[in-house]
Amino acid sequence: MTEILPASPTVEPFSAAKQRELWGHPVGLWVLTLTEGWVGFSLYGMQAILALYLTDHLLQPAYSGAVVGLGPLEALVSAIYAPVGPRAMSAAITGLFLALIYATPLLGGFLADRVLGQTRTILLGAILMTAGHFLMSFDWSFVLALGFLLAGLGMAGGLRAQVGALYELDDRRRSDAYQIYMMGLQVAVIVSPVLCASLAQIEWHWGFLAAGLGMLIGLVVYLVGRRWLPAPAVLQSAAPAALTKHARPALTSQEKKTALLLLALVPVLAVGAIPNSEIFDGYLLWGREHFQLHLLGYEMPVSDLISLDGFISTLCAVLVLWFWKIYARRRPDLSEISKVALGTFIGAFGPLMLALGSWISPGPHEVSLFWGLAFHIINDIGFSMNYAIGMALFSRAAPVSLNTILVACFSLHLFLSNLLIGKLATLLGRISDVSFWLMHSGAALVAAVILGFCAVRFRDLLAPGKETAPSVP
């Protein structure tokens, strides 16, 4: 089967040259950025309270009996992680959910490439996500809500591939576009955790309801802005064989090597992302017990640290984008894989700040928030280079016929990372806090070394032409 445009017997590639621009980029980029911002608002608002909600409310005996499907879910989580106690079970469920968020885009990529087309797949995903968020507003439907959210998030993952489709492969703005796109998420992280957590302090389900309203707005934005996006493709199962061959040519030897190398990088990126992935799981549970959360006489909810991270990560993303623009004017621009390796190396030093804070102030509620601030700054500088530029790397290097699927595979590294986090978070209280955070830092350092090796050894596959690239005027 092949995808063709509705009114044409041949496949016409999307042309970036035909796009109207706003602030130096296609209008479609801003539509996708705004859509992803609202998706992020709903997702991060929910994630900011999920582990705490499970620990303090849903898994308590007074409420857990009314939740449909909770028993099978706990049995599955126990088989994977063997958690001990309600807090460990909460961390394990959260870790598994966060992991599956980044695995389901593989299904979405298949549906987008082979069945429905990107636009239809994204719309269906947005509808499922909206339903899932509203189902989170009730205890009994918690497990069902997780299923809707996971299915919807998988289908909505095609937004990332649509960003790449707005630009020609050799367009220097492609990497910048992914940085801008990620800022939509980062701005959402500033606002949504504070709002959803504040409402959750009054009533847990109000926080989830606010997340659902944000998702609904994102769905409306995408519907209104569809005319600025790459035209949706549809299937024509009776398409001539010649057209099928033309639309999906066989991979060349170089493309096969590149695809295999990108897949091999996924577990390495997963290990490198461990410090950042912990933020929504064990970090919140650890921070509630160890940070000094009194600020100017105000008892700060630990979930406010997520908003703090959102503000810092937004600022870091702007500074990183600005830095690489200035750097490219004076020197040959570094390859994307080199930037990812450097970002992973920087981010590895973030957990060291928490290890130092735990070593200096080991008692409950004794760790200064300045150690947390240092962790977030270092981590966010590294992750600003690691994630957005890594996404651009996969979008540029992946063969055209596998582009959507391989960009979805990039998110698979966060699936693996959160699987690891689900297990690591269960070690809280069972090993020393210093050892806990040193494990995170050491894992990221190993990943940075491997990525640096790949940047040198496989330059011809991941960054062809970079070795002779001229300076950008």
Side-chain angles (χ1 to χ4, degrees):
M1 294 186 290
T2 184
E3 297 176 1
I4 60 173
L5 297 179
S8 173
T10 60
V11 178
E12 180 182 355
F14 179 75
S15 174
K18 298 178 182 179
Q19 281 292 286
R20 181 178 175 181
E21 293 189 355
L22 177 65
W23 298 322
H25 287 272
V27 174
L29 173 65
W30 306 106
V31 172
L32 293 172
T33 300
L34 189 58
T35 301
E36 185 69 16
W38 283 109
V39 172
F41 176 93
S42 67
L43 182 60
Y44 290 118
M46 184 271 288
Q47 288 180 200
I49 59 177
L50 179 59
L52 304 175
Y53 166 68
L54 287 168
T55 302
D56 297 345
H57 180 80
L58 194 73
L59 296 184
Q60 297 299 317
Y63 304 100
S64 60
V67 182
V68 176
L70 183 60
L73 175 61
E74 289 184 324
L76 173 64
V77 171
S78 296
I80 298 173
Y81 295 120
V84 179
R87 186 178 71 168
M89 177 61 75
S90 300
I93 291 176
T94 302
L96 181 60
F97 172 73
L98 296 179
L100 291 174
I101 283 176
Y102 300 104
T104 52
L106 289 176
L107 172 62
F110 175 81
L111 290 175
D113 275 355
R114 304 298 176 99
V115 183
L116 298 175
Q118 284 186 347
T119 303
R120 287 194 181 98
T121 302
I122 292 170
L123 283 175
L124 178 59
I127 292 169
L128 290 173
M129 284 182 65
T130 303
H133 278 296
F134 284 113
L135 284 172
M136 288 287 285
S137 300
F138 308 95
D139 285 346
W140 69 268
S141 56
F142 173 78
V143 177
L144 181 63
L146 293 184
F148 272 75
L149 287 170
L150 290 173
L153 283 163
M155 295 180 185
L159 286 169
R160 300 180 182 91
Q162 285 196 314
V163 172
L166 293 169
Y167 299 87
E168 303 293 345
L169 289 177
D170 58 352
D171 194 330
R172 169 66 178 81
R173 299 176 301 167
R174 176 185 286 253
S175 182
D176 294 347
Y178 276 103
Q179 294 273 23
I180 294 170
Y181 172 78
M182 289 305 301
M183 286 181 197
L185 280 175
Q186 291 161 340
V187 171
V189 178
I190 297 174
V191 178
S192 61
V194 170
L195 176 60
C196 293
S198 297
L199 291 171
Q201 285 188 309
I202 302 172
E203 167 59 46
W204 283 110
H205 300 106
W206 289 11
F208 294 121
L209 182 61
L213 291 174
M215 187 61 235
L216 184 61
I217 295 173
L219 174 59
V220 172
V221 169
Y222 189 78
L223 284 170
V224 172
R226 285 175 65 186
R227 64 193 179 112
W228 301 111
L229 304 178
V234 298
L235 279 175
Q236 182 174 327
S237 57
L243 178 58
T244 302
K245 183 178 180 180
H246 172 74
R248 297 192 180 277
L251 295 178
T252 66
S253 175
Q254 184 87 347
E255 288 176 331
K256 289 179 181 178
K257 291 178 181 178
T258 301
L260 290 174
L261 179 58
L262 290 175
L263 291 175
L265 286 178
V266 169
V268 181
L269 292 168
V271 175
I274 281 177
N276 189 78
S277 298
E278 190 68 80
I279 290 176
F280 285 97
D281 198 344
Y283 175 70
L284 290 178
L285 299 174
W286 177 86
R288 184 167 65 171
E289 295 182 1
H290 291 84
F291 278 134
Q292 298 174 5
L293 293 174
H294 289 278
L295 187 65
L296 301 176
Y298 168 68
E299 179 70 23
M300 184 179 72
V302 69
S303 52
D304 282 2
L305 294 174
I306 304 297
S307 291
L308 173 66
D309 185 76
F311 174 78
I312 295 172
S313 63
T314 301
L315 179 61
C316 289
V318 172
L319 292 176
V320 166
L321 182 62
W322 171 81
F323 172 81
W324 289 119
K325 279 181 172 291
I326 299 299
Y327 183 91
R329 294 193 185 119
R330 291 166 171 77
R331 300 167 179 259
D333 197 15
L334 292 182
S335 65
E336 287 156 342
I337 182 63
S338 297
K339 294 177 182 178
V340 171
L342 180 59
T344 304
F345 177 76
I346 293 171
F349 289 89
L352 287 179
M353 301 299 102
L354 301 178
L356 281 172
S358 300
W359 180 62
I360 294 172
S361 306
H365 305 295
E366 290 184 356
V367 178
S368 170
L369 280 175
F370 285 107
W371 291 111
L373 181 64
F375 162 71
H376 285 289
I377 291 174
I378 296 171
N379 176 76
D380 288 332
I381 291 173
F383 199 68
S384 293
M385 296 164 57
N386 184 307
Y387 187 74
I389 298 177
M391 194 187 302
L393 165 66
F394 272 61
S395 176
R396 185 195 303 274
V400 174
S401 61
L402 297 176
N403 195 271
T404 302
I405 292 176
L406 284 176
V407 171
C409 284
F410 172 76
S411 295
L412 189 61
H413 85 277
L414 293 179
F415 160 70
L416 296 174
S417 181
N418 280 285
L419 275 183
L420 294 171
I421 290 304
K423 181 58 180 178
L424 285 173
T426 64
L427 299 178
L428 280 170
R430 299 171 63 188
I431 64 174
S432 72
D433 296 326
V434 174
S435 298
F436 180 78
W437 293 116
L438 286 178
M439 290 173 63
H440 292 67
S441 183
L445 281 173
V446 171
V449 171
I450 297 174
L451 290 168
F453 170 79
C454 291
V456 176
R457 177 64 179 81
F458 301 110
R459 181 185 296 269
D460 58 327
L461 296 177
L462 299 175
K466 279 291 182 183
E467 49 270 68
T468 58
S471 299
V472 178

